Each structure stands twice: as C-alpha cells, then as structure tokens.
Amino acid sequence: MRPRTFAPDPFRPASEVTEDLRTHPVVQTLLRRREEGSRPGARTDGRRVALVIEGGGMRGVVSAGMAAAIEQLDLRDCFDEVHGASAGAFNAAFLLAGQAAYLATLYQFGFGDPRFVSVLRALRGGPAFDMDHVVNHVWTRQRPLRFEALLASGIDLHCTATDADRVAIVDLADLSSPEEICCALRASGRLPWLAGGPVSFRGMRLLDATLAEAIPVQVARATATDMLVLQTRPHGMAHTPLSPLVARLTDRYLRAVNPALIELRRTRSPRYDALTAELTAQAADPKHKPATCVIHPPAGGVAVGQLENRASVLQRAASEGMRSAWMALEGEDPELIGTLTAYPQREGATPAPARARAPRRVRARHPPAHEPRSPRY
C-alpha cells in the first residue's frame, strides 16, 4: 500500500518581499489617518485618497491578498474611494464589506462554487465562465457579500467596464442598491466570449474592464489627491498577449458585438505596458499630482494566469499578495497561517477579523498609450 502524504504548507514563503514603502507620502497619509482614527466623511486633512485595484481574471487573487492585508491592518477606512477593474472590482466590493480575506479564500473554490467553470456548458452554447451564477446566486445566498456593510462603509465604490458601443472605459459609480452593485460587478468582469454576451446596465452594453483599462486609474487621477495602486504583476513584467487561437476566437466574438472593439483588444498589451511604466515613474516623483504609490507582488513569485484553477497556486499567490502589501504598509514580512474564521450570519454583525485592529507584531491570518478620461454613469 502506498503511504499517504500530507499536502505541503502553501503559506511557507517561497519568495522574498522587501519593498518597504512606509516613507512614501501616500502611505504616510494612510498611517497618520489610522493613528488619528480618521473616518470616511469626517476628514480634516484636506486629502482624498483612492485605492486602485487591478484584476485580471483569477490573477486578481494577488490583489485580493493585498486587500486582505489592508483589511487586517485596519486601513480600509483610511480611503475615500475604491476603484476596481474586473476581478479588482470584486476585491473592492468585498473589502468595503469587511470581507477581503473572505474573498481571497473563495478564489481557490471558483469564487465559492467550482461549477462556475464548465467546458460542457460552453459546448452547449453557454458561457464557459458563468459569473452571473457567482454574482447573482453564490454571492447573494451561498457565500453572501454583505451589501448592507458595503453601502454603510461611507467609501465610494467605482467599478470600471468597457462600453461596447462607445469603445471606451466607463466608470460605474453611485451604486445605491444590491441589484446595482451586482450588475456593475457582472459588467466589470464580463470576459469576451468566455463569459457570455455584454451586460446591459444603465442603457449601455458592457464588457470586461481590462479590454479598455486593466488598472483603473483614469477617474481616480481626476478625483483624488493620493492614489495607492495594487498591481497583480511583478514590477517590470510585460503584459502577455493572447495566444493566436484565443485571439482569433476573441476577435470573432468582438466583431459580432462591435468591430471597433478588435483594435482595442489588439493594442491592449502595449497600452498596459505604457501605463505601468508611467505609474512607476509617477510613484518615484515626489512632486507628481496626484501622489501615487504602487504595490507589486514579489519578483520570482508564483505565476498566475487569467484562467488559473489550481488551488495551491491560488493560495500561494494570495499569500504573496498579502505579504507584499504588509511589507509595503507595515515594514515587515509577516508569518501567515490558514485559520478558520467565523463570519456571523445575522444582519449587522461584524466579521471576527474586523473587530479589533491588528497589533504591530502579528501573525497575519490568511483565510485559506494614454487613454481618455472615463465618464461617470
């Protein structure tokens, strides 16, 4: 009989995180606000700080881990607005609901239900990735997003998407109900051809945000004095174009929706690389307005694809994201451990991780190419 073995510990560090950003003006503003107990809607410092979250399909687990660090470090309420693109919009919504670590764990289970991916369903003419099921069913019933906590946070949620008719990025803001939030999340993560047809919302036909803008900075640059950007690729890593086969399938889908979208798809990689280089330069410029700070996952970390489904890879990627943000904001590489965490089901109850500020020395818990300014809708 072959002896059974235990799985390796996914929380043991496999890469080094060293980027301590506590001296950066944006981080100093956040830390000062935390020490002062500053709250959204009651600021006295004359600053408006935006959190900008990149997605990228399942690679969004990296920024989900970063958002979990922000949550555990009691920094969520130091932001005035949060912008998310694609999976980054999912991370933004769960962070504002006090469930950032909760969602970081759900990535490895297909956001809460592995059935959201089905090749058989795709062969029958349905979506391969059924985010409608995840958003409208899993996140409202099985693994519910706390909409009441999100809406009561006092922090503005911005979900970006691509307008299929105008061929432009749009900012979905002023979301005032669970129904509007769900629709905005579905629109922001509507991968071309893989997830179904465009989402109809506020008179627009909408597709995945990353088609037009993978890192949702355009609106934040106009509204904020400070930006903290969470990126899902290591510093200097170029955007990888679609394979020839996937590019052809995507273009065939886009041609049926609006042929002008094909050029947007073809230029996505160079536009992304130009934007990341621009953000790097702005983060190094102390005089740039808005003040910009960028957190990256570590170089040499685990590689996560847009369609990644291996639980061990997703766990490690979330861990590396959390460690990177913790080092950037707190100046130490924390020890991570997977723990059971209770989220009370009664309405208005506070999730256990959010009840008290994390101490300074703590073992971090981890539940297992310029573009036009986008209008607000």
Side-chain angles (χ1 to χ4, degrees):
M1 178 182 293
R2 186 177 180 179
R4 296 181 179 182
T5 59
F6 288 100
D9 182 353
F11 304 113
R12 289 282 299 274
S15 58
E16 187 178 11
V17 294
T18 60
E19 194 171 23
D20 182 350
L21 299 175
R22 286 176 296 167
T23 60
H24 194 285
V26 175
V27 176
Q28 289 186 335
T29 295
L30 294 172
L31 297 178
R32 183 179 65 252
R33 283 182 168 187
R34 183 180 66 181
E35 292 304 314
E36 294 174 350
S38 176
R39 290 294 178 263
R43 309 291 189 203
T44 59
D45 60 4
R47 313 296 295 177
R48 185 167 181 85
V49 185
L51 178 64
V52 175
I53 308 178
E54 180 183 3
M58 301 310 289
R59 193 174 55 255
V61 72
V62 176
S63 54
M66 294 175 179
I70 288 172
E71 179 177 84
Q72 191 173 340
L73 288 170
D74 199 24
L75 289 169
R76 185 202 69 169
D77 287 348
C78 300
F79 295 94
D80 303 291
E81 54 192 65
V82 180
H83 302 252
S86 190
F90 309 158
N91 299 341
F94 276 81
L95 172 63
L96 295 190
Q99 296 173 278
Y102 182 96
L103 181 62
T105 297
L106 293 184
Y107 270 85
Q108 64 187 287
F109 306 117
F111 296 117
D113 188 342
R115 293 175 297 176
F116 107 96
V117 178
S118 172
V119 175
L120 181 60
R121 184 173 57 235
L123 293 175
R124 291 173 175 172
F129 295 84
D130 192 355
M131 283 306 302
D132 288 355
H133 171 68
V134 173
V135 175
N136 292 337
H137 181 75
V138 178
W139 291 351
T140 60
R141 301 176 187 177
Q142 297 176 355
R143 290 295 190 180
L145 170 63
R146 306 299 173 91
F147 292 101
E148 70 282 355
L150 190 164
L151 292 168
S153 69
I155 303 170
D156 295 339
L157 173 63
H158 297 254
C159 301
T160 57
T162 301
D163 187 327
D165 296 306
R166 296 175 54 248
V167 193
I169 195 73
V170 291
D171 177 42
L172 306 176
D174 302 318
L175 305 170
S176 59
S177 69
E179 293 75 21
E180 285 196 328
I181 293 169
C182 284
C183 205
L185 294 178
R186 289 170 49 231
S188 190
R190 197 61 148 205
L191 294 172
W193 77 270
L194 286 171
V199 173
S200 297
F201 185 48
R202 295 178 177 175
M204 297 175 287
R205 295 189 306 155
L206 302 172
L207 291 171
D208 188 84
T210 62
L211 188 61
E213 183 185 61
I215 307 173
V217 296
Q218 296 302 323
V219 171
R221 283 171 165 171
T223 58
T225 60
D226 304 76
M227 292 195 312
L228 179 66
V229 181
L230 308 182
Q231 288 192 219
T232 58
R233 289 181 172 88
H235 176 70
M237 177 177 286
H239 189 278
T240 304
L242 298 177
S243 69
L245 174 60
V246 174
R248 285 196 299 271
L249 292 171
T250 302
D251 288 350
R252 184 172 67 180
Y253 169 94
L254 295 176
R255 188 174 291 110
V257 175
N258 180 356
L261 291 166
I262 295 175
E263 183 63 19
L264 205 60
R265 196 279 305 165
R266 290 176 178 170
T267 61
R268 183 166 60 173
S269 290
R271 285 188 290 109
Y272 178 91
D273 293 342
L275 177 57
T276 56
E278 185 178 307
L279 289 172
T280 298
Q282 292 170 355
D285 181 1
K287 297 182 180 179
H288 185 269
K289 295 182 180 180
T292 302
C293 182
V294 182
I295 298 177
H296 302 89
V302 64
V304 186
Q306 189 177 34
L307 307 181
E308 181 61 67
N309 67 345
R310 292 169 293 175
S312 60
V313 173
L314 294 169
Q315 282 183 328
R316 189 167 295 281
S319 299
E320 290 177 351
M322 188 178 203
R323 291 171 54 228
S324 297
W326 199 286
M327 171 59 78
L329 300 169
E330 199 70 5
E332 69 169 347
D333 185 357
E335 178 186 1
L336 302 190
I337 188 69
T339 65
L340 293 176
T341 302
Y343 286 79
Q345 295 190 39
R346 64 186 182 277
E347 186 173 349
T350 302
R355 286 178 180 157
R357 176 184 300 176
R360 288 294 176 270
R361 300 292 296 182
V362 67
R363 293 181 176 181
R365 293 166 297 181
H366 189 285
H370 183 71
E371 298 175 35
R373 181 174 301 170
S374 54
R376 293 183 62 182
Y377 287 90

